[in-house]
Amino acid sequence: MNLPKILVAGALAAFALASQAAFPDKPIRIVVAFAPGSSTDVVARSLAQNLTVAFGQPVVVDNRPGAGGNIATVQVAKAAPDGYTLLVHSVAYAINPSMFGSAGYQVGDLAAVAMAGVAPNMLYVHPDVKAGNLKELTALMKKGGMSYASSGNGTTTQLGAELLFRNLLQVDVTHVPFQPAAAANAVVSGQVPIGSTSMPPVVQLARAGKVRPIAVTSLKRSPALPEVPTVAELGHPGFEANTWIALFAPAGTPTEVLDRLNTEINKVLLYKTLTENFAALSLDVVRMDRPQLTSYVAAEAAKWGGVVRRIGVKVD
């Protein structure tokens, strides 16, 4: 046996353990890619509150909205890779490098830390639209002249609808982009007959009969509206177009620090108060280890990047 090598290996292992145990020894800043009050912001604040207790150090939220989340992403990508600056972003993190002429980053510029939650999008119609299911809606759309409201250009609410309508259903429908809440209101008012948005603005409207749900875009039905079928159930196996929220850190952050963050975040994701906050957003808590999240984000970037290129969505 080579005693010097064993001693060096032991010393390195001890150093890694000591570094992990010491982290964090000062406040952690969570940069949020969107404005206060957004789903991403609510998730970040719920995590920060619980992580402050778990770490025994302040975890503060810093909203840096703008450019579809690119401003916050670039800022975090340039931060010191020490685990004290994190990014909370949505699925837009994986989409933007394909959609923007210059997003300022590539997906690999940040390290995956932890998944937080996943929410399906929903396809729905105004009550006067004479379609109670996807088959009937498809027949109406094939007659032409239909339009749909989404939560904005380049969102999964648009890209998922385009994938469904144009690729799978072979129908031509005009896209009308709105802000998320405004898209739902446009359908309620009858301004646009079809909606494709995230679930939070729609759940109460559906329960009140102000819109008629057609399908959700997750592989499993949503607990928020369990009676609404999935697109996959309705003849399109594997169809999925979710909105997710996850945490990232600058590339080069030490593995032991990233692992500690992942472990603690996955613990607090089990807290009842946090899961209740997420449920109010129609978000299901999803726990992943870092390799799982890295692979998932890469797959999402490839999937939505292909849709962006196919339909020609670009933001300069």
Side-chain angles (χ1 to χ4, degrees), residues 3-314:
L3 187 58
K5 287 185 178 180
I6 293 173
L7 291 173
V8 169
L12 290 173
F15 176 76
L17 288 171
S19 298
Q20 184 173 355
F23 177 86
D25 60 4
K26 62 181 181 180
I28 295 173
R29 181 170 66 113
I30 294 180
V31 178
V32 181
F34 300 103
S38 63
S39 295
T40 314
D41 176 69
V42 173
V43 167
R45 292 181 188 278
S46 297
L47 288 170
Q49 181 179 3
N50 288 284
L51 289 172
T52 293
V53 176
F55 283 134
Q57 292 287 345
V59 180
V60 297
V61 173
D62 181 8
N63 295 85
R64 297 283 174 167
N70 294 342
I71 290 174
T73 305
V74 171
Q75 182 183 93
V76 174
K78 294 178 178 179
D82 54 12
Y84 289 97
T85 303
L86 305 177
L87 173 72
V88 174
H89 208 326
S90 71
V91 60
Y93 170 79
I95 296 172
N96 286 357
S98 296
M99 189 178 70
F100 282 78
S102 178
Y105 73 96
Q106 295 298 319
V107 166
D109 291 346
L110 283 90
V113 174
M115 178 63 85
V118 176
N121 298 325
M122 183 185 288
L123 181 66
Y124 53 97
V125 296
H126 185 275
D128 288 346
V129 174
K130 299 189 182 305
N133 54 51
L134 186 59
K135 183 177 180 180
E136 293 173 353
L137 181 59
T138 303
L140 276 181
M141 291 189 292
K142 284 186 175 179
K143 294 179 180 180
M146 299 288 281
S147 60
Y148 77 93
S150 83
S151 303
N153 284 321
T155 63
T156 57
T157 64
Q158 182 210 4
L159 300 180
E162 293 289 327
L163 188 61
L164 175 63
F165 295 155
R166 299 186 190 281
N167 283 42
L168 299 179
L169 301 180
Q170 298 292 300
V171 293
D172 187 13
V173 187
T174 301
H175 173 231
V176 186
F178 288 88
Q179 293 296 318
N185 290 334
V187 177
V188 170
S189 68
Q191 181 182 351
V192 185
I194 304 168
S196 172
T197 66
S198 57
M199 286 191 68
V202 191
V203 173
Q204 294 305 322
L205 296 174
R207 289 172 179 166
K210 294 182 177 181
V211 299
R212 181 185 304 121
I214 298 296
V216 293
T217 61
S218 49
L219 292 177
K220 296 181 179 180
R221 295 192 182 199
S222 169
L225 291 171
E227 70 278 11
V228 180
T230 68
V231 173
E233 285 180 73
L234 300 175
H236 305 284
F239 182 89
E240 188 176 25
N242 294 326
T243 297
W244 48 260
I245 297 173
L247 293 91
F248 302 89
T253 301
T255 300
E256 61 271 13
V257 171
L258 294 172
D259 288 342
R260 176 87 196 282
L261 287 163
N262 178 269
T263 297
E264 294 301 329
I265 291 167
N266 280 334
K267 285 180 183 177
V268 303
L269 285 173
L270 297 176
Y271 293 176
K272 183 179 179 181
T273 53
L274 190 144
T275 57
E276 289 174 347
N277 286 344
F278 281 25
L281 301 170
S282 303
L283 273 172
D284 293 327
V285 168
V286 175
R287 300 160 76 231
M288 294 185 184
D289 61 29
R290 293 198 309 103
Q292 287 173 325
L293 179 56
T294 300
S295 297
Y296 180 80
V297 172
E300 287 282 276
K303 171 183 174 178
W304 296 122
V307 177
V308 166
R309 289 187 290 274
R310 195 153 55 242
I311 68 176
V313 178
K314 275 292 180 184

